[in-house]
Amino acid sequence: MGSLTQYTKACKIKAQMQVKVLSPELVSKIAAGEVVERPASVVKELVENSLDAGATQIDVEAHGGGIELIRVSDNGVGIPASEVELAFHRYATSKISDLADLEGISSLGFRGEALPSIAAVAEVEISTTAFSEAVGSYLHLRKGDVVRRESRARARGTTITVRHLFRYFPVRLKFLKAVNTESSHIANILTQYALTFPEVKFSMVIDGHLSLQTAGDGDLRGVVNEIYGSALAQAMLEIEEEHSSTKINGLISPPSLARSNRNHLSFFINRRWVRSPLLAQATEKAYHGLLMEGRHPIAVINISLPVKEVDVNIHPAKAQVKFCREQAIFADVRETVKNALARTAIARPKAMPFSSISWQGEPPRMIMDSEPTFVSAPLPALGLPVLRVLGQLANTYIVAEGPDGLYLIDQHAAHERILYDRILTQWSRKEVEIQGLLQPINMEFSPREEESLKSNKESLSQFGFTIEPFGNRSYLIRVVPALVAKTNITEALRMLLDKLVSKESSSPWEEKVAQSLACHSAIRAGQQLSNEEIRELLNQMEQTQQARTCPHGRPTMIHLSLRELEKEFGRLG
Ligand code: ADP
Ligand code: MG
């Protein structure tokens, strides 16, 4: 029966209570509590009002974490003298007048709650001159009541000073954090608006120190420079994409410049700053696989979408919004960021050399003096370990795995090296493989080529060419080195003759011949190779002494050791 007793008791208590309308003062305090959560909320509301008033310059000042004083000055349209008092009435707004307006809201404010709410929890002074009026007005409010009113001169615009925040709200005051924390919230709010409105000149003075100043020239990168520093400002990647119903633009950090928290993600919907876990998630998704665990990108992203697709009226401080098509917006943001990151991934080696990738090898060595010594001379161990083929990249690079990490091999450079070594070896052994042509090729040479041909006739025949004069700078090619038989022979020969007379290289002629023929005969970049062909190429490379550089001394491969990979992936230290 205990529960029944309790029930009767509860009814009695309820009967004693009376439903009554709260006093206006209490209502406004409750409402104020929602709008003005902390000093930074006051800054937010006042700055939004300045922006709505079309200001191009907004100066913010805060003392004692904003509890002692907050002052926001602007050069906006101002408030006509006859309306100043009204602006402090609850639900007084110049920005909307009917439901249609609310559904198509484009101003930052619209609830008409900010000024009365602030006035309910602090002492407020306002000095304003409307664009249409010669003299301005001044109003001083205490506990929401006007205690002084007069005409005052002021340049066009509005200055609102808020003092002793929450003085009559001891509970709220008790919940505020340290002064420094409140100051940093204020700084963060202003930072967000400076990022949203690069065309507005902002300044922020906290406890007498100028802590932010923007140029107001419309350059977002310039604002990022003021906030995050020049290194980041320069490295930020631009995003700009139009989707079916959204337009997304802004700046995002390259993966290399991540931060350890999510505080550097700024989102704006139709240039209204919003806190959005959804958008943060969409952005971070785009970085998936590019950032170490616990690292977060820096981003400034504005999403423009039809005002009907977003509900901004779900939060008293308008800090949150609701999207009609949440999934679509999520996908649009993720795609836009992802695309920008993909574009830089390709450009990356040019813009920023991979410092930790090193190709191992030696500068080109003269492998021949007057006598070919390379066959018997001991060679440094520059060969290759056994490699396992993983695939071909861009029809140009072979991707392979070795006992110590990853190998990226330039197929042309590698093949060039193989052929070059083979030509010189054959030549030194006087075992040049030749091939007679069933159909001799008739070639006409330029005077310069003919000169080259005449002075190198000896060497050319040693390398396997049989060339007969056919009158008037015409020649018949009857036998060629086997190596070039399958290629364009005339082209190979022209290249060789050119190379032999060129003054560019002082290499011995044997090397010149070998280089020229190797280069001409080697597989090209962009040529698709079968797995067998790749396997064969790697086999030959493994038997080549100087496999790591091409005959011109450029690397044939990039080796990323497991250790370097670990370093790149942040698995070390
Ligand atoms: P809301 O911004 O939702 O309209 P507020 O209480 O913030 O409501 O402001 C009430 C009205 O006061 C605004 O609609 C606007 O007409 C006027 N107002 C406030 N601040 C400014 C300002 N800095 N410059 C010009 N007008 C202002
Ligand atoms: Mg407002």
Side-chain angles (χ1 to χ4, degrees), residues 1 33 80 108 117 127 178 198 221 253 271 287 430 486 502 512 529-530:
M1 289 323 266
L108 295 170
S117 296
S127 186
R221 213 177 274 273
S253 66
R271 303 189 89 198
Y287 282 81
K430 311 228 179 312
K486 283 184 223 99
S502 99
K512 285 187 182 181
L529 301 178
S530 68

Side-chain angles (χ1 to χ4, degrees), residues 46-55 58 74 108 193 197 200 202:
L46 296 183
V47 168
E48 283 189 354
N49 279 348
S50 296
L51 290 165
D52 281 344
I58 300 175
D74 67 52
L108 295 170
Y193 282 98
F197 292 87
V200 175
F202 284 94

Side-chain angles (χ1 to χ4, degrees), residues 278-510:
L278 175 88
L279 298 178
Q281 219 186 327
T283 307
E284 299 224 82
K285 264 258 156 67
Y287 282 81
H288 182 76
L290 297 173
L291 293 179
M292 285 183 242
E293 209 174 304
R295 304 290 286 169
H296 304 278
I298 302 147
V300 184
I301 298 176
N302 182 59
I303 299 155
S304 310
L305 75 173
V307 284
K308 294 212 155 49
E309 299 232 340
V310 56
D311 187 356
V312 294
N313 192 24
I314 60 160
H315 189 273
K318 297 156 283 153
Q320 278 160 26
V321 294
K322 204 168 169 338
F323 300 111
C324 299
R325 300 180 313 118
E326 206 168 81
Q327 284 314 309
I329 289 169
F330 184 96
D332 290 353
V333 169
R334 193 194 50 204
E335 283 314 299
T336 304
V337 174
K338 216 171 159 180
N339 290 342
L341 290 170
R343 279 196 299 276
T344 44
I346 294 161
R348 188 174 173 179
K350 212 163 74 196
M352 208 175 12
F354 238 126
S355 59
S356 56
I357 287 187
S358 55
W359 58 271
Q360 293 153 12
E362 289 194 345
R365 288 184 338 129
M366 281 287 261
I367 47 173
M368 281 182 73
D369 297 316
S370 50
E371 285 284 310
T373 54
F374 57 95
V375 175
S376 53
L379 285 161
L382 288 170
L384 267 192
V386 176
L387 299 177
R388 187 170 71 84
V389 182
L390 298 178
Q392 196 186 15
L393 177 72
N395 285 342
T396 298
Y397 306 106
I398 291 160
V399 186
E401 181 190 353
D404 178 36
L406 180 79
Y407 288 78
L408 281 170
I409 296 155
D410 180 327
Q411 64 192 38
H412 173 73
H415 196 209
E416 220 181 346
R417 160 57 71 186
I418 293 164
L419 294 179
Y420 177 81
D421 283 8
R422 193 188 294 165
I423 294 165
L424 286 180
T425 308
Q426 289 182 2
W427 181 78
S428 72
R429 291 178 183 165
K430 311 228 179 312
E431 290 172 356
V432 175
E433 261 184 81
I434 54 168
Q435 188 166 333
L437 303 174
L438 288 174
Q439 187 89 63
I441 295 170
N442 186 349
M443 266 183 91
E444 221 186 311
F445 291 112
S446 71
R448 185 171 183 265
E449 287 166 340
E450 191 175 39
E451 270 319 294
S452 176
L453 183 70
K454 281 181 182 158
S455 50
N456 292 290
K457 207 165 188 292
E458 211 25 79
S459 344
L460 286 169
S461 74
Q462 277 180 39
F463 265 100
F465 285 103
T466 303
I467 302 169
E468 285 173 14
F470 199 54
N472 206 12
R473 293 216 305 276
S474 260
Y475 290 81
L476 281 183
I477 323 295
R478 292 192 177 278
V479 182
V480 294
L483 194 73
V484 298
K486 283 184 223 99
T487 69
N488 185 333
I489 295 169
T490 42
E491 211 182 288
L493 193 54
R494 282 193 206 284
M495 210 163 105
L496 177 58
L497 292 174
D498 186 62
K499 185 109 186 174
L500 283 170
V501 287
S502 99
K503 303 269 179 307
E504 276 168 35
S505 151
S506 58
S507 320
W509 63 269
E510 306 89 325

Side-chain angles (χ1 to χ4, degrees), residues 45-54 72 74 76-80 83-84 86-89 91-96 107-118 126 128 157-160 318:
E45 294 296 336
L46 296 183
V47 168
E48 283 189 354
N49 279 348
S50 296
L51 290 165
D52 281 344
V72 176
D74 67 52
V77 293
I79 308 174
E83 292 171 21
V84 183
L86 189 64
F88 286 87
H89 281 238
Y91 307 128
T93 178
S94 59
K95 296 166 194 173
I96 56 171
S107 57
L108 295 170
F110 53 85
R111 295 169 64 109
E113 284 184 316
L115 293 186
S117 296
I118 294 165
I126 179 169
T128 182
T158 306
T159 300
I160 294 182
K318 297 156 283 153

Side-chain angles (χ1 to χ4, degrees), residues 548-563:
R548 290 172 193 266
T549 56
C550 81
H552 312 285
R554 290 191 290 269
T556 56
M557 69 181 67
I558 287 169
H559 172 214
L560 263 174
S561 69
L562 289 175
R563 218 189 131 70

